[in-house]
PDB file of all heavy atoms in Angstrom:
ATOM      1  N   ASP A   7      31.000  34.151  -9.662  1.00 88.00           N
ATOM      2  CA  ASP A   7      31.365  33.911  -8.261  1.00 88.00           C
ATOM      3  C   ASP A   7      31.180  32.480  -7.775  1.00 88.00           C
ATOM      4  O   ASP A   7      31.280  32.224  -6.583  1.00 88.00           O
ATOM      5  CB  ASP A   7      30.628  34.880  -7.333  1.00 88.00           C
ATOM      6  CG  ASP A   7      31.020  36.322  -7.613  1.00 88.00           C
ATOM      7  OD1 ASP A   7      32.185  36.553  -8.012  1.00 88.00           O
ATOM      8  OD2 ASP A   7      30.176  37.219  -7.448  1.00 88.00           O
ATOM      9  N   ARG A   9      32.669  29.007  -7.049  1.00 96.00           N
ATOM     10  CA  ARG A   9      34.036  28.507  -6.828  1.00 96.00           C
ATOM     11  C   ARG A   9      34.061  27.018  -7.158  1.00 96.00           C
ATOM     12  O   ARG A   9      33.332  26.239  -6.551  1.00 96.00           O
ATOM     13  CB  ARG A   9      34.451  28.730  -5.384  1.00 96.00           C
ATOM     14  CG  ARG A   9      34.481  30.216  -5.008  1.00 96.00           C
ATOM     15  CD  ARG A   9      34.588  30.413  -3.528  1.00 96.00           C
ATOM     16  NE  ARG A   9      33.421  29.766  -2.918  1.00 96.00           N
ATOM     17  CZ  ARG A   9      33.336  29.405  -1.638  1.00 96.00           C
ATOM     18  NH1 ARG A   9      34.334  29.623  -0.822  1.00 96.00           N
ATOM     19  NH2 ARG A   9      32.251  28.830  -1.165  1.00 96.00           N
ATOM     20  N   GLY A  11      36.495  23.640  -7.550  1.00 93.00           N
ATOM     21  CA  GLY A  11      37.771  22.983  -7.304  1.00 93.00           C
ATOM     22  C   GLY A  11      37.836  21.708  -8.123  1.00 93.00           C
ATOM     23  O   GLY A  11      36.907  20.901  -8.084  1.00 93.00           O
ATOM     24  N   PRO A  19      54.649  15.397 -18.860  1.00 80.00           N
ATOM     25  CA  PRO A  19      54.906  16.445 -19.852  1.00 80.00           C
ATOM     26  C   PRO A  19      54.498  15.988 -21.261  1.00 80.00           C
ATOM     27  O   PRO A  19      54.725  14.849 -21.642  1.00 80.00           O
ATOM     28  CB  PRO A  19      56.427  16.641 -19.769  1.00 80.00           C
ATOM     29  CG  PRO A  19      56.805  16.138 -18.418  1.00 80.00           C
ATOM     30  CD  PRO A  19      55.831  15.040 -18.089  1.00 80.00           C
ATOM     31  N   TYR A  21      51.461  15.586 -22.332  1.00 78.00           N
ATOM     32  CA  TYR A  21      50.158  14.926 -22.363  1.00 78.00           C
ATOM     33  C   TYR A  21      49.143  15.860 -23.006  1.00 78.00           C
ATOM     34  O   TYR A  21      49.044  17.022 -22.652  1.00 78.00           O
ATOM     35  CB  TYR A  21      49.733  14.556 -20.950  1.00 78.00           C
ATOM     36  CG  TYR A  21      48.411  13.838 -20.879  1.00 78.00           C
ATOM     37  CD1 TYR A  21      48.314  12.502 -21.220  1.00 78.00           C
ATOM     38  CD2 TYR A  21      47.255  14.493 -20.460  1.00 78.00           C
ATOM     39  CE1 TYR A  21      47.108  11.834 -21.157  1.00 78.00           C
ATOM     40  CE2 TYR A  21      46.047  13.828 -20.389  1.00 78.00           C
ATOM     41  CZ  TYR A  21      45.974  12.502 -20.733  1.00 78.00           C
ATOM     42  OH  TYR A  21      44.787  11.836 -20.669  1.00 78.00           O
ATOM     43  N   GLN A  22      48.366  15.368 -23.961  1.00 76.00           N
ATOM     44  CA  GLN A  22      47.452  16.211 -24.734  1.00 76.00           C
ATOM     45  C   GLN A  22      45.979  15.959 -24.437  1.00 76.00           C
ATOM     46  O   GLN A  22      45.141  16.611 -25.017  1.00 76.00           O
ATOM     47  CB  GLN A  22      47.709  15.972 -26.228  1.00 76.00           C
ATOM     48  CG  GLN A  22      49.107  16.284 -26.670  1.00 76.00           C
ATOM     49  CD  GLN A  22      49.249  17.673 -27.218  1.00 76.00           C
ATOM     50  OE1 GLN A  22      48.329  18.193 -27.814  1.00 76.00           O
ATOM     51  NE2 GLN A  22      50.389  18.276 -27.017  1.00 76.00           N
ATOM     52  N   ILE A  26      40.437  19.269 -18.663  1.00 83.00           N
ATOM     53  CA  ILE A  26      40.350  20.477 -17.838  1.00 83.00           C
ATOM     54  C   ILE A  26      41.152  21.631 -18.435  1.00 83.00           C
ATOM     55  O   ILE A  26      40.830  22.790 -18.212  1.00 83.00           O
ATOM     56  CB  ILE A  26      40.768  20.180 -16.376  1.00 83.00           C
ATOM     57  CG1 ILE A  26      40.272  21.282 -15.440  1.00 83.00           C
ATOM     58  CG2 ILE A  26      42.257  19.979 -16.256  1.00 83.00           C
ATOM     59  CD1 ILE A  26      38.787  21.410 -15.369  1.00 83.00           C
ATOM     60  N   PRO A  31      39.481  27.449 -18.803  1.00 93.00           N
ATOM     61  CA  PRO A  31      39.360  28.809 -19.346  1.00 93.00           C
ATOM     62  C   PRO A  31      37.921  29.188 -19.695  1.00 93.00           C
ATOM     63  O   PRO A  31      37.506  30.330 -19.499  1.00 93.00           O
ATOM     64  CB  PRO A  31      40.235  28.786 -20.606  1.00 93.00           C
ATOM     65  CG  PRO A  31      41.167  27.648 -20.412  1.00 93.00           C
ATOM     66  CD  PRO A  31      40.428  26.648 -19.578  1.00 93.00           C
ATOM     67  N   GLU A  41      39.945  26.442  -9.499  1.00 93.00           N
ATOM     68  CA  GLU A  41      41.231  26.094  -8.902  1.00 93.00           C
ATOM     69  C   GLU A  41      41.547  24.647  -9.250  1.00 93.00           C
ATOM     70  O   GLU A  41      40.758  23.753  -8.968  1.00 93.00           O
ATOM     71  CB  GLU A  41      41.187  26.267  -7.386  1.00 93.00           C
ATOM     72  CG  GLU A  41      42.499  25.951  -6.721  1.00 93.00           C
ATOM     73  CD  GLU A  41      42.447  26.142  -5.208  1.00 93.00           C
ATOM     74  OE1 GLU A  41      41.415  26.595  -4.688  1.00 93.00           O
ATOM     75  OE2 GLU A  41      43.448  25.815  -4.564  1.00 93.00           O
ATOM     76  N   LEU A  52      38.884  15.446   4.679  1.00 72.00           N
ATOM     77  CA  LEU A  52      37.558  14.974   4.279  1.00 72.00           C
ATOM     78  C   LEU A  52      36.514  15.221   5.355  1.00 72.00           C
ATOM     79  O   LEU A  52      35.346  14.951   5.150  1.00 72.00           O
ATOM     80  CB  LEU A  52      37.616  13.482   3.947  1.00 72.00           C
ATOM     81  CG  LEU A  52      38.552  13.106   2.803  1.00 72.00           C
ATOM     82  CD1 LEU A  52      38.606  11.594   2.646  1.00 72.00           C
ATOM     83  CD2 LEU A  52      38.106  13.754   1.507  1.00 72.00           C
ATOM     84  N   ASP A  59      32.421  25.709  -3.973  1.00 94.00           N
ATOM     85  CA  ASP A  59      30.994  25.406  -4.053  1.00 94.00           C
ATOM     86  C   ASP A  59      30.764  24.083  -4.788  1.00 94.00           C
ATOM     87  O   ASP A  59      29.821  23.366  -4.493  1.00 94.00           O
ATOM     88  CB  ASP A  59      30.265  26.540  -4.813  1.00 94.00           C
ATOM     89  CG  ASP A  59      30.437  27.873  -4.131  1.00 94.00           C
ATOM     90  OD1 ASP A  59      30.205  27.950  -2.912  1.00 94.00           O
ATOM     91  OD2 ASP A  59      30.816  28.836  -4.819  1.00 94.00           O
TER      92      ASP A  59
END
Side-chain angles (χ1 to χ4, degrees):
D7 297 328
R9 298 167 301 161
Y21 181 77
Q22 301 265 327
I26 198 63
E41 181 179 356
L52 299 175
D59 301 310

